Amino acid sequence: MKNFALSALALVGAGTLSACAEESANPAAPATGEVNIYTSRHYDTDLALYEDFTRETGIKVNRIEADADALIERIAAEGEFSPADLFITVDAGRLWRAEEAGILAPVDSQVLAERIPANLRDPENRWFGLTTRARIIIYNKAKGAPEGLDTYADLADPALRGRVCMRSSSSVYNVALLASIIAHEGSDMAAAWAKGVTANFARAPQGNDMSNIEAVAAGECDVSLVNTYYLARFDTPEKRAILDKIGVIFPNQGTTGTHVNLSGAGVVANAPNRENAVRFLEYLTSDKAQGFLANGNNEYPAANGVAPTSAVQALGRFRPDPLRAAEIGRNQARAVELFNAARWN
Ligand code: FE
């Protein structure tokens, strides 16, 4: 299992010389002008960010890319000999799992405390949100928005029987949403919601957010739930024609606010280059870096006062759910249980 995780790792050098974090794995070596990033973000645009940081500070960025859980497992296995300085991933649940695995250390930084809103970071400052994405309702425009559909709760209304497409409940995006419903309304209401939505499925859960957008556009079902940035990926003339068939609803605007998940980062407990890691993390919250991060994948900047400039702006302004992201982490295991009980596969 562990070997599989290790062999699945992709080693990528961010600089012009292909640099590999393994080279700095000697625990006896003093901290150098480097920072070693273990990331499950894999957007090419993030590369520009690493290069910019190096240009500004002279600190070289080495990065290892892999699936978040493989990285957590690897950092835990490497223990005090881990070259990892900074862990970056998407999903509040994964950040919480990293925290629970004990691989992250608190960072006492005034910059981070001021830049990142309290609900988008760990109360004990072991991880910090960098960008957010909203999970919104989409509907088929030709069929029209189902009457009275403006909350997540409405998706469980029997009026939608046979009209809802969803991806699997194993998706962390769905787990995080249900975890937020547990936090707001309690387990019983959340369980009833999962059952109600499952009863409304037009077909067995399948595909990803992209294919569910296509299914709604094609009229295979009337509504679905997707992350905002996927809509921005329909950016060629052909894809634009698909997107034109889609209407969007930011749910819960009159109640809890629209559920948002985040991408974020935490400094590793045994970071050999801790100072550089904190510096890089602080840099990631700067206006410039927030622009790189958010625009690269069409997300919303997490930092205070940074306006979104990416394509998702065209979807409109909305009120996000101010729930602490840590609550999503805390409730994720329960959410998985409720999905299973509802047979939302
Ligand atoms: Fe995604």
Side-chain angles (χ1 to χ4, degrees):
M1 186 61 193
K2 191 173 139 222
N3 282 343
F4 172 76
L6 294 181
S7 65
L9 290 169
L11 280 165
V12 193
T16 43
L17 288 171
S18 182
C20 152
E22 304 294 357
E23 289 163 8
S24 60
N26 182 355
T32 59
E34 295 188 336
V35 62
N36 299 324
I37 295 168
Y38 282 38
T39 179
S40 70
R41 273 182 69 104
H42 46 81
Y43 311 119
D44 289 345
T45 41
D46 286 359
L47 288 179
L49 188 78
Y50 304 149
E51 283 164 13
D52 185 65
F53 176 72
T54 301
R55 227 176 359 251
E56 273 197 6
T57 63
I59 297 167
K60 194 168 100 184
V61 178
N62 304 313
R63 116 194 117 101
I64 285 180
E65 278 185 5
D67 165 68
D69 288 308
L71 291 176
I72 293 170
E73 197 183 329
R74 175 170 177 162
I75 293 169
E78 288 171 343
E80 62 180 304
F81 302 107
S82 180
D85 293 312
L86 192 68
F87 171 70
I88 303 178
T89 191
V90 299
D91 177 45
R94 290 179 178 137
L95 289 164
W96 192 84
R97 285 208 289 280
E99 161 206 319
E100 288 291 289
I103 64 163
L104 303 179
V107 175
D108 185 16
S109 155
Q110 206 178 335
V111 172
L112 295 175
E114 279 171 10
R115 294 289 291 170
I116 303 300
N119 66 310
L120 299 182
R121 49 183 158 89
D122 170 38
E124 291 176 45
N125 292 324
R126 289 162 297 189
W127 48 262
F128 299 82
L130 295 172
T131 60
T132 65
R133 57 276 294 280
R135 195 140 184 86
I136 62 174
I137 296 171
I138 57 166
Y139 63 91
N140 182 296
K141 262 192 204 163
K143 297 185 186 181
E147 215 180 282
L149 176 60
D150 51 25
T151 64
Y152 295 109
D154 293 335
L155 290 168
D157 191 315
L160 290 180
R161 191 103 339 146
R163 298 167 68 186
V164 178
C165 275
M166 289 284 171
R167 74 187 290 175
S168 165
S169 65
S170 64
S171 158
V172 292
Y173 305 144
N174 286 339
V175 171
L177 171 62
L178 187 52
S180 78
I181 294 174
I182 294 170
H184 283 301
E185 307 191 42
S187 272
D188 290 351
M189 290 289 281
W193 180 81
K195 280 198 184 114
V197 177
T198 303
N200 287 342
F201 286 164
R203 58 180 194 178
Q206 60 195 268
N208 52 27
D209 286 19
M210 293 294 278
S211 65
N212 279 293
I213 291 170
E214 285 163 8
V216 171
E220 284 175 49
C221 37
D222 298 352
V223 296
S224 188
L225 276 174
V226 300
N227 287 354
T228 37
Y229 59 90
Y230 288 109
L231 293 163
R233 290 188 189 172
F234 286 78
D235 56 357
T236 62
E238 272 162 34
K239 288 183 179 167
R240 191 77 220 176
I242 296 172
L243 190 63
D244 284 343
K245 297 190 168 82
I246 298 289
V248 306
I249 295 167
F250 281 90
N252 292 29
Q253 289 303 281
T255 58
T256 57
T258 296
H259 166 68
V260 291
N261 203 335
L262 42 78
S263 77
V267 173
V268 176
N270 296 307
N273 307 292
R274 183 181 158 90
E275 242 174 76
N276 293 348
V278 173
R279 198 163 166 194
F280 185 59
L281 189 49
E282 289 176 346
Y283 164 83
L284 291 178
T285 69
S286 68
D287 286 5
K288 184 164 60 166
Q290 284 283 296
F292 274 119
L293 282 167
N295 296 338
N297 188 38
N298 294 297
E299 294 175 80
Y300 302 99
N304 284 314
V306 183
T309 56
S310 68
V312 285
Q313 239 188 329
L315 297 175
R317 294 175 65 85
F318 68 100
R319 193 169 63 81
D321 181 355
L323 180 72
R324 270 188 182 276
E327 290 297 316
I328 293 171
R330 217 183 312 283
N331 289 318
Q332 64 181 327
R334 185 85 187 116
V336 170
E337 284 172 20
L338 298 187
F339 273 136
N340 290 341
R343 302 189 180 279
W344 176 327
N345 298 321

